[in-house]
Amino acid sequence: MTRLSRYFLPTTREAPADAEAVSHKLTVRAGLARQVGAGFWTWLPAGWRAHRKVEQIVREELDAIGALEMLMPVIQQAETWRRTGRYDIDEVFKLKDRRGADFVLAMSHEENVTWHVSREIRSYRDLPKLLYHFQTKERDEPRPRAGVLRTREFIMKDSYSFDVDPEGLERSYQLHIQAYDRIFDRTGLEWYRVESDVGMMGGFGAHEYMAPCGAGENDVALSSAGYAANVEVASATPRPVDGLPGPLDAPEPVETPGATTVEDVARLLGVPAGAVIKAMPVVADGRGPVLVLVRGDHRLNEIKLQNALGTPARPAEAGEVRSIFNAEPGFIGPVGAPVEVLADEALRGLHGLVTGGNEHDVHLRGVEPGRDFEPTWGDVRRVEEGDTCPNGAPITIEPAIEVGNIFKLGTRYSDPLGARYLDEQGKEQLIWMGSYGIGPARIVAAAIEQHADEQGISWPRAVAPFDVELVTLGKPGEDAREVADRLYDELRDQGLDVLYDDRDGSAGEKFADAELLGCPLRLTIGKRGLEAGEVDVQVRRAQEKRSLPLEGAAAAAAELWASLP
């Protein structure tokens, strides 16, 4: 029996003072969850129902591609994480037991599942395998934010594929793409699949599933030609530089007193920002200092830079810049630079450029890459709106929530953990792996973000905590109450999940809570409707109002609900 008079749904009028994201505000106001501490949340009954509905959609679609559900522990031995090189990741929670043995709280389960496979799989006949589970994950998140979107503890579905070769991995990858596409269609989200960086997971290929919304922590580059990529890895043809100065026979020094920024230099010399070379000295792990160059109207992409260098890098400190270049920061440039130079591809073929002269208050103009300095070339800039995608269409950039990800791990984990099989010739081979994650809490939050209005949440029906909210305006002993009690049972007989507001509050209070919680359909039984032989109906999306005949109302409501988005 789901009657509000007995239910735990602590709605509030005000959002938390620190809440910025719509989903954060409404998750609290609608009584779906409560924060315990920074990055730790308790799902309350209604919020947990929505979470479980998402889980069930995911479970059904993974089962449909032949994946097998299991359950692995949160606490794992540190040794396997050391063998894969992930033990030293800052976000990994580490602990010791009473005997001093090292353990981790898993942020994902590649090590654990690969450990099992390395002991159980012996032959090519045992492959392929698709395994998955739902489990609590722990992540020492430095900046928890946006309610349940970025937390330190969360539930995640992760699945893993095991194949004999790259072709088998590709088949498993495509199976997951099919399953994920159906999952996100069923949840009612607006979404797209984008190219992404493999990050701390490792491997050689990845995609993310993104739900566009204002609270998104990722920026996605899109085009009308179908291009979609996380800005972390997106590539595009840059807009040409308007007003690029003409070429010179050789670089010419020019005094630029106090001009240490691109804007200062461009203004002083009367050139567009795109004609200025932005020079950024970095120190790469195991590689030393590198001078990284991008166009002055572009921004450095740190993920691309790390991929281009093959190692993490940090900005050089002011003292290091003075020591290496014998010049002040702000006047550094590639001509005669005593270090390796890495230039972004957008600088290739340009002329008449301006760059630091490696001398205080001096820049050089008329600089040409390839003539005046010979760099290593790479794509290290962030794409910008107005660039063009590989198919020639303009790029737009919008924020989005990452709700799922898929990775081609290859032998990233099977090699260090010894997951091998014997092929048809009896030779030992490494198993090829894929990893596939979905965050149910993120889907819940994205659904709220995409479908909220000023009154509250407007759930897609597939993930709503309840299908129907039934409101009675009658008091105990009155006809309206008796009819509502009867209709509640009839709606449940139709297979609908019903929240019955049988409280003694005012109509205004009940309607406000109903719109805040946002069940797809609201039915109201009151004296006026009974006299007319009708049930008042509100479709939550767009707040469309109508009525249904009281006779057969449950069946009619079920039919109406099935037609809703």
Side-chain angles (χ1 to χ4, degrees):
M1 302 290 285
T2 313
R3 295 173 179 262
L4 260 181
S5 59
R6 306 173 193 171
Y7 203 68
F8 187 39
L9 189 71
T11 58
T12 66
R13 292 185 178 182
E14 301 296 329
D18 64 338
E20 297 180 358
V22 171
S23 57
H24 186 179
K25 295 175 182 178
L26 292 178
T27 294
V28 174
R29 288 193 57 218
L32 304 179
R34 287 291 184 268
Q35 186 171 357
V36 179
F40 297 103
W41 286 77
T42 293
W43 287 100
L44 302 183
W48 186 236
R49 287 178 66 95
H51 195 287
R52 293 297 296 273
K53 285 195 172 183
V54 172
E55 289 181 24
Q56 188 56 29
I57 291 172
V58 174
R59 180 175 285 112
E60 290 171 3
E61 294 300 340
L62 285 178
D63 290 349
I65 64 170
L68 305 171
E69 186 170 5
M70 58 191 297
L71 183 64
M72 292 177 278
V74 177
I75 299 178
Q76 299 181 18
Q77 294 180 348
E79 177 56 28
T80 54
W81 286 67
R82 288 193 174 102
R83 287 164 63 184
T84 63
R86 293 211 301 167
Y87 183 77
D88 293 325
I89 294 174
D90 290 339
E91 288 80 6
V92 174
F93 277 108
K94 304 168 183 73
L95 68 156
K96 294 179 181 290
D97 69 6
R98 67 183 67 192
R99 290 180 292 275
D102 291 327
F103 292 86
V104 302
L105 298 179
M107 58 194 299
S108 63
H109 279 70
E110 282 75 12
E111 283 82 1
N112 200 139
V113 73
T114 309
W115 183 87
H116 284 300
V117 167
S118 71
R119 282 156 175 75
E120 309 299 338
I121 299 297
R122 292 288 177 263
S123 166
Y124 70 93
R125 296 186 180 90
D126 300 326
L127 298 169
K129 286 286 186 291
L130 302 179
L131 305 173
Y132 78 97
H133 72 160
F134 291 89
Q135 181 57 286
T136 300
K137 310 292 183 180
E138 308 287 350
R139 179 185 174 101
D140 193 2
E141 177 61 50
R143 291 176 297 278
R145 59 175 293 272
V148 299
L149 274 176
R150 183 164 287 279
T151 59
R152 304 177 85 186
E153 179 176 287
F154 51 94
I155 291 173
M156 184 174 170
K157 184 286 303 174
D158 40 349
S159 51
Y160 303 95
S161 62
F162 302 89
D163 288 279
V164 298
D165 54 26
E167 292 74 25
L169 169 57
E170 183 62 32
R171 287 190 292 272
S172 294
Y173 198 80
Q174 291 301 321
L175 280 175
H176 276 83
I177 285 177
Q178 295 168 22
Y180 273 41
D181 287 0
R182 288 193 295 265
I183 287 166
F184 292 110
D185 280 344
R186 288 181 60 184
T187 61
L189 294 182
E190 178 187 349
W191 62 273
Y192 32 71
R193 180 181 353 107
V194 306
E195 299 172 15
S196 66
D197 183 61
V198 297
M200 66 178 67
M201 297 296 293
F204 61 93
H207 289 82
E208 293 168 330
Y209 283 78
M210 295 290 195
C213 70
E217 57 200 5
N218 294 273
D219 287 331
V220 178
L222 304 167
S223 81
S224 59
Y227 182 76
N230 192 311
V231 165
E232 292 179 345
V233 299
S235 295
T237 302
R239 286 174 294 182
V241 181
D242 291 332
L244 189 68
L248 298 178
D249 291 338
E252 295 181 354
V254 56
E255 292 189 4
T256 53
T260 59
T261 69
V262 169
E263 293 75 15
D264 291 341
V265 173
R267 183 170 54 252
L268 184 64
L269 300 184
V271 298
V276 179
I277 296 177
K278 188 186 297 183
M280 294 162 287
V282 303
V283 179
D285 291 355
R287 190 165 175 170
V290 178
L291 187 62
V292 183
L293 311 179
V294 298
R295 261 173 40 180
D297 57 343
H298 289 163
R299 290 175 284 177
L300 179 66
N301 183 316
E302 294 181 1
I303 299 296
K304 285 186 176 181
L305 175 62
Q306 179 171 326
N307 291 338
L309 293 174
T311 185
R314 62 170 176 82
E317 297 177 359
E320 292 173 315
V321 173
R322 296 186 187 100
S323 174
I324 295 169
F325 292 89
N326 197 29
E328 288 294 316
F331 299 98
I332 306 303
V335 179
V339 299
E340 176 187 358
V341 177
L342 172 61
D344 182 69
E345 289 286 354
L347 289 166
R348 192 191 289 268
L350 299 186
H351 54 70
L353 301 178
V354 176
T355 187
N358 294 322
E359 182 180 344
H360 188 59
D361 285 344
V362 172
H363 278 74
L364 300 177
R365 61 184 175 188
V367 172
E368 291 186 20
R371 182 193 71 180
D372 303 317
F373 64 93
E374 195 60 51
T376 300
W377 294 97
D379 178 8
V380 295
R381 76 179 182 96
R382 174 188 166 101
V383 299
E384 304 288 351
E385 290 215 5
D387 294 344
T388 53
C389 78
N391 294 321
I395 291 285
T396 60
I397 296 176
E398 66 179 17
I401 296 171
E402 179 190 343
V403 289
N405 48 51
I406 53 179
F407 299 92
K408 294 178 181 178
L409 300 177
T411 60
R412 162 72 177 83
Y413 294 86
S414 54
D415 189 4
L417 295 175
R420 294 176 169 84
Y421 71 95
L422 296 179
D423 65 16
E424 294 181 62
Q425 286 73 44
K427 293 182 179 180
E428 196 173 69
Q429 306 287 351
L430 287 169
I431 295 174
W432 286 71
M433 291 177 56
S435 174
Y436 316 87
I438 280 183
R442 286 176 160 259
I443 293 176
V444 170
I448 295 172
E449 290 280 344
Q450 290 186 347
H451 301 292
D453 58 25
E454 292 182 359
Q455 283 68 44
I457 304 169
S458 178
W459 294 100
R461 66 182 176 90
V463 298
F466 299 95
D467 301 326
V468 176
E469 181 160 352
L470 173 62
V471 177
T472 180
L473 303 182
K475 298 178 180 179
E478 294 180 351
D479 289 346
R481 176 61 65 94
E482 293 177 4
V483 171
D485 287 348
R486 231 176 11 252
L487 182 56
Y488 175 54
D489 292 332
E490 293 169 358
L491 290 166
R492 295 173 68 211
D493 289 342
Q494 290 288 328
L496 295 172
D497 288 329
V498 185
L499 179 63
Y500 181 19
D501 192 345
D502 61 340
R503 298 173 298 173
D504 291 333
S506 67
E509 178 186 0
K510 292 185 175 188
F511 292 157
D513 277 353
E515 297 203 349
L516 180 59
L517 182 59
C519 298
L521 199 60
R522 187 183 81 206
L523 306 182
T524 303
I525 301 292
K527 182 178 179 181
R528 187 182 306 171
L530 286 183
E531 292 173 348
E534 294 177 339
V535 177
D536 293 328
V537 178
Q538 184 191 67
V539 176
R540 179 63 183 84
R541 190 73 54 89
Q543 298 179 311
E544 176 192 347
K545 295 183 178 180
R546 61 177 77 178
S547 62
L548 295 173
L550 189 56
E551 185 68 29
E559 183 178 353
L560 175 58
W561 173 84
S563 70
L564 300 179

